[in-house]
Amino acid sequence: HAQAEILIMDEPSAALPENEVENMFQVIRNLRNQGVAIIYVSHHLGEVFEIADKVTVLRNGAKVDTVKVKDIEQQDLIKMMIGNEIGNLYGSDAGQSTDQEKNLMEVTRLKFGEKGEVSFCLHPGEIVSLFGIIGAGAQSVSECLFGLKSHSGEIKIDGKLVRINTPQDAMKSGVGYIPGDRRKFGLITERTVKENITLPILKELSNRAGVIQTEKEKPVVDESIQKLKIKTTGPEQITNYLSGGNQQKVVLAKWLLTKPDILILDEPARGIDIGAKQEIYTLIEQMAHEGKGVIVISSEMPELIGISDRIITVHEGVIKGSLTGKEITQERIMMDLG
C-alpha cells in the first residue's frame, strides 16, 4: 500500500516460481529505499541473507536473539533456530540401503497431457526425487501415481501390473501420498490430531458395527505423536492450531500408519522451520533404511541434492536427465533442464 509505513510479509515466496521471487525482492528493496519498514517472515535461510538487514530468531514461541545479518554465518543461524549444532541437515548415508537388483516400482510411458511420456524405476530403499520448475510435470507424475490424475501407460509394483485410477487403488497397491498443500488436501484442519492420524485406518480400529474401539485407537495415536515428535497439547487438539511443521508431521503420521511400500512426498518441507525439516528428512531416510521406496517432488534444489539417491529432471512432461552420486550438483541439474 502506498501509504504503509510498515509492511508485514508472511512467507510471500511460498507460491512463487523462482524467477518471480527475484522480482519480489526488487520491489522489497525499492520500498525499503523509500523508507518503508518491512517485517519478512520466512523459513528460507537464503532469503534472509538475500534481503534482510537484521534477523530475529523465534523458537517455541520465544525470542532467541536479534542480530545483524552481516554479522552472522548461516550455520550459526541454524544453531540459533534449532537449539543445537547440526553437522548435516540432510543426513549422510544416501544410497546405503538401496537394492539396485530389484525394481519396487516401474513406470513405463506414463502420459498425462498432450506432451511427453515419463518412464523410470524405483528400487527398494531408494530416495528418488523429481525436479522441475513449477508446471514442468513433476507434480503431475506424483498425482498420476496416486490416482489423482488421469493417465495412460503402465505402472508395475513388485513386477505386477497395477491399475491406479483412484487413491483407493493406490493405497491397495501400497502407495502413500503426502500432498504439497497439506492444509487443503492433507488435513481436515478443524478436526483433532487424533482424528486426522487415524483417518486412513478407521476400518482396522473399528468393530463389526463400525464403532471405533478406543482401546485400539489410543495406543496407535500416542505412539505416532511420540515417534514423530509432534508438538501438541494432546490427541484432542484441533490440528489448525499446530505449527506448519507439526501439521506436516500429522500428515506423515497418517500415511505411515497405512504401512506403505512406496511413499510419495510433494514439497515435504515447504513452509516449515528448519528443526521440523531435519526431523522429516530423518523420517524419510528411516523409510529408505526399512527397504521402502520414496519419491520426493520439490522445487528446493538444496533439499533434493541433500536427500536424494537419484534426481530425475523433468521439463514439459519429459525426463531430461537422471543423476546419481557425485553427478548430483546444482550445475548438472540446471544443465539437464537447460
Side-chain angles (χ1 to χ4, degrees), residues 188 190-197 235-239:
I188 306 174
E190 65 271 20
R191 309 303 294 185
T192 65
V193 170
K194 175 183 71 178
E195 289 170 310
N196 274 282
I197 288 176
E236 301 298 333
Q237 185 175 15
I238 300 299
T239 315

Side-chain angles (χ1 to χ4, degrees), residues 52-72:
D53 298 305
K54 290 191 295 186
V55 57
T56 295
V57 175
L58 302 177
R59 187 170 71 242
N60 296 331
K63 176 183 170 182
V64 177
D65 201 359
T66 297
V67 296
K68 291 180 179 179
V69 172
K70 67 181 179 64
D71 294 337
I72 192 168

